[in-house]
Amino acid sequence: LGVLRVGWIVARPDILERVRGIKDYTTASASNLTQVFADWALQRHEFFRRRARGIVARNRRLLGEALDRIPALHLELPDVGNVVFPHSDVDVTKLERLLIRKYRTVIAHGRFFAARGFRDHFRLGLGGKTPVFQRGLANLRRAAAELT
């Protein structure tokens, strides 16, 4: 469902009316079918919320266990959220390149984020299928060890 890009707005009726008047000019490719799928998903919100929370909880637990085996990474693992920004003792640019080239694993370098001091951090998402996440963590451990 992540590819469904539909816009929703909650506002006063007068604002909704103004927005409705410009929607056709700013929404180039939202098909009626996309709207139907989005509506279907919203009607099943509770199912998707429970599913997402389960995935993130499993992956957060796995990350917590993996951090003990990756001494080059440091993180106070939060109890909530689906994205973390570990600090890396190894050069994040080199880590990123090695992960992509050798392990076909992607991280988002801290330089892509506006906060100061994130050049020695990277973004790591906790979503996605758990077996894929586990492989990514194993690849991260191997790559960090190679660069240490």
Side-chain angles (χ1 to χ4, degrees):
L1 294 175
V3 297
L4 291 180
R5 301 290 185 219
V6 294
W8 298 88
I9 185 170
V10 176
R12 295 187 324 254
D14 59 312
I15 293 174
L16 291 175
E17 200 55 44
R18 287 180 23 214
V19 169
R20 191 174 292 126
I22 61 169
K23 181 185 179 297
D24 291 339
Y25 299 106
T26 61
T27 309
S29 63
S31 70
N32 287 340
L33 188 56
T34 300
Q35 295 284 346
V36 169
F37 285 137
D39 185 56
W40 176 87
L42 286 172
Q43 290 176 21
R44 290 152 183 84
H45 172 263
E46 187 57 32
F47 164 80
F48 289 109
R49 188 184 67 77
R50 276 194 315 272
R51 179 180 172 272
R53 284 188 173 175
I55 290 168
V56 170
R58 281 191 302 275
N59 291 349
R60 179 182 288 109
R61 181 181 47 77
L62 290 169
L63 176 59
E65 294 167 3
L67 286 171
D68 292 337
R69 296 185 307 273
I70 311 173
L73 300 183
H74 311 284
L75 174 69
E76 290 292 327
L77 191 58
D79 294 332
V80 297
N82 62 354
V83 176
V84 294
F85 288 85
H87 172 268
S88 176
D89 291 340
V90 299
D91 183 291
V92 177
T93 300
K94 290 178 182 177
L95 179 63
E96 177 184 46
R97 287 183 187 144
L98 181 61
L99 281 167
I100 290 170
R101 291 180 181 152
K102 186 172 181 179
Y103 296 102
R104 300 176 50 96
T105 299
V106 178
I107 58 172
H109 194 296
R111 72 177 178 275
F112 295 121
F113 304 94
R116 292 185 184 269
F118 266 59
R119 294 214 178 266
D120 55 356
H121 291 71
F122 60 91
R123 183 184 71 183
L124 181 64
L126 301 177
K129 296 177 181 175
T130 298
V132 174
F133 186 75
Q134 286 176 299
R135 280 194 305 275
L137 289 175
N139 293 341
L140 181 59
R141 182 181 48 76
R142 287 184 200 103
E146 284 181 43
L147 294 172
T148 304

